[in-house]
Amino acid sequence: MLRHASRRATSLARAARAWKNMLASPAHARAHGGHAHAHGGEDGASSCCDGDVDREPRFTRTHEVVTRTHTHGEASMFAVGIAGRGFDLMGDCRRVEPVAQSGAMAKRGETLVKAHWDGFSRSASDELYHATWANASGVREVKMPFDGRVVRFNVEALKNPYMNVRGPDTWLVEIAAASDSSNTLLDEDAYEAMCDQEEVDEMDAANASYP
């Protein structure tokens, strides 16, 4: 346990150091007119300072999608949202509730945002095997994909989630971390394979529930 805690503390310290170094870099200051904060690009997330950025989305096992938006060597910004299957498992987003604080360090797995939703869910079929539907509501938590710092939240998503939280292209929170942090996440093929297996397991469980 002590060694595990030590590794986690080291990871957090590394993320904080990378973030500090990125803000202090001359290239970052020149790109942002001397200001040490992130500016929005055309897509609302931070614009990129380094030219060659891997923007391929990565995924977590808890259905977050993570896209690199901005990088300076050892430090990068990442936009975090809800992945496709995460949206499949929820209804219309009605409220986005920030849980973490902007500027705070956060550990992998900590909740950043709660997306409150409502919709309909399919319940057990009746005696004639007709599918029935029921009102449903819930909360989907968006978690920190790896150790790092919370930068900011998507203001448009906070203002009008029903209109602006529409799919996996919607980012909810921007974070800063060491550039290689995303190497621990799933690529698109691995994520799709995981989702396929989840659906098979759900079908097996549903079939087993019939008399």
Side-chain angles (χ1 to χ4, degrees):
M1 290 293 293
L2 288 176
R3 285 188 296 182
H4 178 76
S6 177
R7 288 197 301 270
R8 179 57 57 85
T10 300
S11 180
L12 280 171
R14 180 166 169 261
R17 186 167 58 252
W19 167 248
K20 182 178 179 181
N21 290 341
M22 183 180 74
L23 292 182
S25 71
H28 184 274
R30 289 195 300 271
H32 297 303
H35 298 294
H37 64 276
H39 291 259
E42 293 180 359
D43 61 355
S46 293
S47 58
C48 173
C49 288
D50 286 0
D52 186 16
V53 177
D54 177 10
R55 297 180 183 274
E56 289 297 317
R58 299 290 189 272
F59 302 87
T60 69
R61 295 187 178 278
T62 51
H63 302 294
E64 285 84 19
V65 56
V66 182
T67 306
R68 190 190 313 269
T69 61
H70 179 112
T71 191
H72 269 305
E74 294 184 355
S76 290
M77 300 279 208
F78 300 88
V80 183
I82 301 171
R85 180 157 168 77
F87 272 99
D88 291 343
L89 298 174
M90 60 186 281
D92 294 325
C93 187
R94 298 297 184 178
R95 181 162 66 94
V96 174
E97 175 190 358
V99 176
Q101 296 292 321
S102 296
M105 298 300 296
K107 298 178 182 179
R108 179 175 63 85
E110 289 187 14
T111 299
L112 301 175
V113 171
K114 292 182 178 181
H116 298 257
W117 60 268
D118 59 33
F120 299 92
S121 65
R122 184 173 178 172
S123 60
S125 301
D126 61 20
E127 63 274 11
L128 297 178
Y129 298 100
H130 295 147
T132 58
W133 297 84
N135 291 327
S137 62
V139 178
R140 171 155 288 278
E141 295 186 354
V142 177
K143 299 181 180 295
M144 193 74 169
F146 34 70
D147 295 350
R149 183 184 295 275
V150 180
V151 177
R152 61 175 181 151
F153 298 93
N154 185 338
V155 175
E156 296 304 316
L158 299 180
K159 287 181 179 178
N160 192 345
Y162 180 72
M163 292 299 296
N164 294 321
V165 182
R166 307 303 295 175
D169 290 336
T170 302
W171 66 278
L172 297 178
V173 56
E174 191 172 50
I175 62 175
S179 292
D180 61 357
S181 297
S182 60
N183 294 345
T184 62
L185 305 182
L186 303 174
D187 62 19
E188 190 166 7
D189 289 341
Y191 178 70
E192 289 181 357
M194 185 194 78
C195 292
D196 289 344
Q197 186 59 52
E198 284 187 354
E199 292 176 0
V200 169
D201 293 343
E202 288 175 3
M203 291 180 62
D204 288 345
N207 291 335
S209 68
Y210 285 106

